[in-house]
Amino acid sequence: MTNTVHSVEMVDISKSFFGVKVLDEVSFAVLPGEIHALAGENGAGKSTLMKILQGVYSMDSGEIRIAGSSVSIHSFQDARNLGIGMVFQEFSLVPELTVAQNIFLDREHKNRFGLFDEKETVKQAHIVMESLGLHIDVTAKVSTLGRAYQQLTEIAKAIAGDAKILILDEPTASLAKEEVEALFKVLRGLTSRGVSIIYISHRMDEIYKICNRITILRDGKRIAVASLEEITPNEIIAHITGRKDLEMLAHDGRSSSQFESPNFEVEGLQVGTRVNHVSFQLFPGQILGLAGLMGSGRTELVRALFGLDKKDQGTIKIDGKEVTIKNPRDAMAHGLAFIPEDRRRQGLIMEHTVKHNILSTNLSSLSHHSFLNFPKINSVVNNAITKFEVRPGEANREVRLFSGGNQQKVVIAKWMATNPRFVLLDEPTVGVDIGTKVEIMKLIRSIAHEGKSVILISSELPELLSVCDRILVIRKGEIAEDLNRNEIKDEDHLQMIVQGIHV
Amino acid sequence: MKIANLKKIDFRSTLIYWMFLVIFLAFSVILHDDGFLQSNNLLNILRQTATITVMAVAMTFVISAAEIDLSIGGVAGLTSVVAALMVRDHGLVQGILAGLAIGFIVGSANGLLVARVGIPSFLVTLGMQGVAVGFAALVTNYYPVPILNDTFNRIFGSGTIGKFPGLLLWSFTAVIIGWVTLTKTTFGRRVLATGGNRDAAEFNGINTKNIKFQVMLISSVVASIAGLLYAGRLQTGRYEWGAGDELSAIAAVILGGTSLFGGSGRIIGTFFGALLVGLINNGLILAGLPVSQQQIIRGLIIILAVALARKK
């Protein structure tokens, strides 16, 4: 074994952004023909590590070896020439081109006049597909294919580019079960040809099904490397989350019996195929958690509540009265606030200042006959900055210049300034360092203590466990479980439920 | 504190004033003997840039909302023609109202197509430009329509207040209203939020479709006011008035430091941008260059200035 040459070897990789260490001497190695899982929370450093391997970021220190020899990767092009292929979560295919044209995009077959050779392209694409054991019409436009076939086309594209190392980021996030099987078959076929696969996933069952080994990162450090035959799911979860975080986020033992009558009721909510007949009640001062895998319908549910997506069926009652929420303006008028999952695209206007971002949700309360009331704006903004501990506390600084955690505080601050009754939070701690995570959890508790009702979506189960009074587990758009906090033993227990593994 | 703040002021954000100053001084020296500095000439520059200034102020809102309006030149021309015909046949008030109605109609059509149907404003207004100019040429059979109503001509452009050209009042008013609206009202914030990040603005409860509709409407109505100013200053309605003004107005806005990608707008910068465009035009004419050379040099100066002023 000692003489085995790794197909990829990353040694002592370190990387900092703006003085924050996101990778701390991380080593990572993959054998030829191996499927190697890379696991860790959001922000643990997985994607940074992969981006270094693809030449998107440069490392501060460390070494990369491909097939035993040291290489330097400065661009995507370099990575591709070294046989590193990436299957993007957001596909990089051109929808209006055919499968064959996409596979050979930017290395088109030319005929002797230097023109695009459609015949040769189709023939070669066929050969690639055959080798993967796939029967896809390579002359079909990509836009006519389902998600799974688009994904397989993406893989074919990487293979046609002679990829020896394939990176897959959450490849099954939007696939149906049969499609997942087809994907796995292709992946196994590839490994028998000696291709190495780096498999990034949060889904425990899939990791056990298809991977040989796993590397776990947490807070920019490599925590463990193990063969999947030697490690239990519980151990993996423990490594991913880190027990000490759990202590920092300990549940404060509120009982749900303190709630009298619900002030927010959802009945039979239907949104396309993503949310299926969902009903639940929310009480004043209650924190309701929504747990579920990515793509389970959690986000779609809250988006519909806030009027961002059209509801096909179902009613929402506030204080027992049915209300109509067709757009975010209706939702805000009924006292809802929504902290969205993607703060850069949905939460903030990155080029605007903190002051203007806070102002944007409060325009009518901070103006008089459409004229902005600047003294009032300044005092509200300064109070918000102090209360939510935005650092640095400069109201006139553009939000893009703040750290992720402080940006998120600005989002929370601007919504809390609207004085909402119902606060919806979708993954509020994504890409936020552990210190700020704890602060955000404290904030959520204090929001509930003020008597506001909170709906919290999080993929990080310790967070849900630490603050929620009740947790709904969402699976395939339905409420699969409705649990009181005290019915859940610990994180592992909840993890099993979320994964759909019954103990 | 104050000094530290001053140092932080971005060089680019004050660039327009420096460029204005440098070109002004250069012309003062080079064109001194051609009468550049004479008060008559300077007032002339202001008078000639008034229409561009008015349109550029509205264009600042359009560009801040991450849209564009290429139809303003055509709207101005069509308005001048319609107003001239109505003044001739029906009277002063009817002429003014008919002119403004052109702005409302074209602006509503632009706004609906951009905000509701979702066609990019670039295409909508490019097409609308042709429609407006074509209509203006059609109803007048390419002939100019003289305006003999003195009141009309005095209000829109030819009048003076003391020695002060009335046109200046129009451009100052436009700049002041534009500045107050963009920086001091909720509407201004909504426009900037929509242009800065439409998704986030929508999540914040801002009706971004309405905002896009409104900026397109404002732009056309203001362009029709500019059309009235052309008609009054030149005492004629003609389909050619305003031709090419969309490009001068856009150049003025971008020179002034407004981001072409939306989300930031500077009205005072736009004002100086418009003055700079007028200054360059005037200087090139005084220098006695033929039209062809004027066009080449003007184009190059604008490209250079925008290249220096752009943010990214």
Side-chain angles (χ1 to χ4, degrees):
Chain A
M1 276 306 274
T2 43
N3 284 331
T4 316
V5 177
H6 287 100
S7 48
V8 192
E9 215 177 344
M10 300 179 81
V11 187
D12 293 339
I13 308 285
S14 291
K15 174 78 185 171
S16 298
F17 288 114
F18 308 112
V20 180
K21 215 161 205 177
V22 287
L23 288 177
D24 190 0
E25 302 196 341
V26 170
S27 293
F28 175 67
V30 187
L31 294 162
E34 179 188 35
I35 304 185
H36 195 121
L38 183 59
E41 291 184 338
N42 293 324
K46 291 173 302 192
S47 62
T48 310
L49 189 67
M50 289 302 105
K51 279 180 178 157
I52 288 173
L53 186 56
Q54 293 165 76
V56 178
Y57 296 149
S58 60
M59 56 196 171
D60 297 341
S61 63
E63 193 190 355
I64 300 176
R65 289 186 213 130
I66 301 287
S69 46
S70 182
V71 296
S72 58
I73 305 176
H74 296 297
S75 70
F76 217 74
Q77 236 59 32
D78 288 352
R80 210 172 66 186
N81 294 339
L82 289 165
I84 300 168
M86 169 86 191
V87 175
F88 292 90
Q89 215 172 342
E90 305 282 330
F91 300 136
S92 67
L93 301 172
V94 184
E96 287 308 304
L97 294 182
T98 66
V99 171
Q101 286 164 348
N102 265 291
I103 290 175
F104 293 103
L105 197 71
D106 74 12
R107 36 170 196 274
E108 289 102 344
H109 294 278
K110 305 254 174 71
N111 61 21
R112 67 201 131 108
F113 305 112
L115 298 171
F116 178 67
D117 189 342
E118 180 73 38
K119 238 189 210 160
E120 184 66 14
T121 303
V122 169
K123 198 173 128 201
Q124 293 298 330
H126 251 305
I127 294 172
V128 174
M129 286 298 183
E130 295 272 298
S131 77
L132 292 173
L134 290 172
H135 306 286
I136 295 180
D137 176 11
V138 296
T139 61
K141 274 188 187 175
V142 162
S143 58
T144 63
L145 302 178
R147 295 283 288 181
Y149 282 107
Q150 292 188 2
Q151 183 134 38
L152 293 169
T153 304
E154 186 95 18
I155 292 173
K157 187 178 161 189
I159 294 305
D162 254 348
K164 293 279 182 296
I165 302 143
L166 204 54
I167 307 166
L168 293 156
D169 188 359
E170 293 281 356
T172 59
S174 51
L175 300 190
K177 210 170 171 198
E178 318 82 67
E179 298 171 331
V180 173
E181 288 307 323
L183 173 71
F184 284 180
K185 215 173 120 197
V186 170
L187 296 186
R188 288 199 190 97
L190 287 173
T191 57
S192 64
R193 287 159 51 174
V195 173
S196 302
I197 295 170
I198 301 170
Y199 192 90
I200 302 174
S201 179
H202 290 296
R203 301 195 181 190
M204 208 61 69
D205 50 336
E206 287 175 6
I207 291 177
Y208 272 96
K209 207 167 196 175
I210 190 149
C211 299
N212 307 100
R213 288 193 303 157
I214 184 167
T215 293
I216 301 164
L217 304 183
R218 192 201 323 141
D219 295 334
K221 293 195 182 66
R222 190 182 73 180
I223 301 298
V225 186
S227 157
L228 281 161
E229 285 156 14
E230 293 160 5
I231 192 167
T232 67
N234 283 351
E235 284 169 324
I236 292 177
I237 290 164
H239 284 314
I240 288 175
T241 57
R243 288 301 180 198
K244 57 179 193 309
D245 300 354
L246 270 177
E247 285 159 33
M248 289 168 77
L249 294 172
H251 184 62
D252 69 351
R254 299 174 342 137
S255 83
S256 6
S257 58
Q258 69 188 77
F259 307 119
E260 294 147 12
S261 59
N263 56 354
F264 191 90
E265 294 162 274
V266 175
E267 242 164 76
L269 185 68
Q270 185 81 32
V271 182
T273 55
R274 307 298 295 274
V275 178
N276 264 325
H277 205 80
V278 166
S279 306
F280 64 89
Q281 295 181 327
L282 188 61
F283 296 79
Q286 186 185 38
I287 304 176
L288 178 69
L290 296 185
L293 296 172
M294 245 197 266
S296 61
R298 315 172 300 188
T299 298
E300 288 78 5
L301 172 58
V302 288
R303 279 180 63 98
L305 293 181
F306 198 65
L308 285 158
D309 294 329
K310 200 175 155 285
K311 293 174 265 295
D312 295 317
Q313 262 177 53
T315 55
I316 299 172
K317 284 184 192 164
I318 290 177
D319 301 327
K321 274 197 217 100
E322 192 173 330
V323 296
T324 317
I325 296 178
K326 282 193 175 154
N327 53 47
R329 293 173 288 292
D330 294 345
M332 288 165 77
H334 285 110
L336 273 74
F338 180 39
I339 286 103
E341 66 184 324
D342 187 341
R343 65 178 163 264
R344 301 177 71 88
R345 281 182 46 214
Q346 304 165 334
L348 294 166
I349 300 164
M350 301 300 285
E351 314 285 321
H352 286 188
T353 61
V354 172
K355 184 202 275 186
H356 285 147
N357 271 286
I358 293 179
L359 179 55
S360 65
T361 44
N362 297 284
L363 283 164
S364 38
S365 65
L366 294 178
S367 62
H368 185 65
H369 297 310
S370 289
F371 280 87
L372 298 172
N373 180 345
F374 283 100
K376 198 169 165 191
I377 289 169
N378 288 332
S379 87
V380 166
V381 169
N382 288 330
N383 282 342
I385 286 175
T386 318
K387 184 173 173 197
F388 295 95
E389 296 174 21
V390 178
R391 283 181 295 260
E394 291 172 29
N396 292 318
R397 198 174 152 100
E398 290 176 25
V399 288
R400 69 186 170 88
L401 302 171
F402 286 79
S403 71
N406 281 292
Q407 288 174 358
Q408 189 65 296
K409 288 188 207 164
V410 174
V411 182
I412 295 176
K414 77 175 192 179
W415 280 108
M416 295 319 293
T418 66
N419 197 20
R421 293 180 60 201
F422 311 99
V423 182
L424 320 176
L425 301 108
D426 191 357
E427 298 279 14
T429 62
V430 165
V432 161
D433 60 277
I434 185 74
T436 313
K437 269 182 200 175
V438 174
E439 284 183 55
I440 289 176
M441 287 299 117
K442 270 197 220 148
L443 272 175
I444 292 173
R445 265 195 211 119
S446 73
I447 290 168
H449 277 304
E450 290 171 24
K452 300 177 194 305
S453 312
V454 177
I455 297 180
L456 172 65
I457 294 181
S458 181
S459 296
E460 302 196 18
L461 303 181
E463 291 182 5
L464 290 180
L465 289 169
S466 79
V467 298
C468 294
D469 304 302
R470 209 170 115 217
I471 294 177
L472 304 179
V473 178
I474 312 281
R475 213 177 293 140
K476 293 192 179 128
E478 291 168 11
I479 297 182
E481 306 277 347
D482 180 349
L483 303 160
N484 259 323
R485 173 63 182 89
N486 49 27
E487 291 174 61
I488 304 166
K489 273 196 305 243
D490 54 18
E491 189 193 344
D492 302 355
H493 181 201
L494 182 57
Q495 180 67 261
M496 296 294 176
I497 299 172
V498 169
Q499 299 281 349
I501 306 165
H502 280 278
V503 214
Chain B
M1 181 68 189
K2 274 242 165 91
I3 294 164
N5 272 348
L6 277 179
K7 272 188 192 162
K8 267 198 239 162
I9 290 177
D10 189 4
F11 163 72
R12 292 187 194 287
S13 65
T14 56
L15 187 73
I16 177 64
Y17 310 113
W18 293 113
M19 285 193 295
F20 183 81
L21 195 70
V22 167
I23 292 184
F24 187 87
L25 291 177
F27 282 177
S28 304
V29 175
I30 301 166
L31 302 171
H32 187 265
D33 296 336
D34 299 306
F36 175 77
L37 278 178
Q38 279 170 17
S39 63
N40 250 343
N41 186 52
L42 296 180
L43 278 178
N44 230 344
I45 294 175
L46 286 169
R47 205 162 27 223
Q48 280 160 358
T49 43
T51 42
I52 296 293
T53 302
V54 170
M55 287 190 271
V57 166
M59 185 68 84
T60 309
F61 284 82
V62 177
I63 294 179
S64 294
E67 297 294 343
I68 199 89
D69 188 348
L70 300 176
S71 67
I72 55 173
V75 170
L78 180 58
T79 300
S80 76
V81 163
V82 170
L85 291 171
M86 291 295 282
V87 169
R88 187 187 69 191
D89 299 339
H90 299 282
L92 175 71
V93 177
Q94 289 88 334
I96 296 172
L97 289 180
L100 293 176
I102 295 295
F104 268 105
I105 293 165
V106 175
S108 303
N110 284 345
L112 282 175
L113 290 169
V114 170
R116 300 285 159 188
V117 186
I119 309 174
S121 53
F122 180 86
L123 297 174
V124 169
T125 58
L126 188 62
M128 200 58 84
Q129 164 84 329
V131 172
V133 174
F135 253 107
L138 186 71
V139 292
T140 59
N141 204 13
Y142 298 97
Y143 286 110
V145 183
I147 299 175
L148 305 172
N149 185 315
D150 285 341
T151 319
F152 181 91
N153 291 335
R154 233 186 350 262
I155 299 173
F156 296 104
S158 303
T160 54
I161 303 160
K163 277 192 78 177
F164 205 68
L167 271 174
L168 291 200
L169 197 64
W170 282 99
S171 64
F172 287 151
T173 311
V175 170
I176 290 166
I177 292 178
W179 182 74
V180 170
T181 308
L182 193 63
T183 58
K184 308 283 179 200
T185 69
T186 55
F187 176 72
R189 288 313 323 167
R190 291 193 172 105
V191 168
L192 292 167
T194 301
N197 181 344
R198 191 175 183 180
D199 272 347
E202 192 64 38
F203 272 68
N204 285 351
I206 292 170
N207 192 337
T208 57
K209 279 186 182 168
N210 268 3
I211 294 295
K212 298 229 171 200
F213 177 85
Q214 284 162 4
V215 294
M216 297 313 290
L217 179 63
I218 289 170
S219 175
S220 269
V221 171
V222 170
S224 71
I225 294 174
L228 295 176
L229 295 177
Y230 268 117
R233 173 158 68 94
L234 302 166
Q235 309 192 357
T236 358
R238 187 150 198 217
Y239 76 98
E240 282 176 312
W241 297 164
D245 279 3
E246 59 279 353
L247 296 182
S248 303
I250 292 166
V253 173
I254 302 303
L255 283 171
T258 294
S259 161
L260 193 49
F261 305 103
S264 84
R266 293 167 188 274
I267 297 287
I268 307 297
T270 293
F271 180 49
F272 277 87
L275 286 181
L276 184 60
V277 172
L279 194 67
I280 293 168
N281 285 342
N282 180 268
L284 296 176
I285 292 168
L286 285 189
L289 295 178
V291 176
S292 54
Q293 292 179 25
Q294 283 179 36
Q295 280 180 326
I296 294 171
I297 294 176
R298 186 169 53 221
L300 292 177
I301 291 180
I302 288 177
I303 291 174
L304 180 73
V306 172
L308 287 172
R310 84 206 158 113
K311 222 176 160 188
K312 289 176 211 166

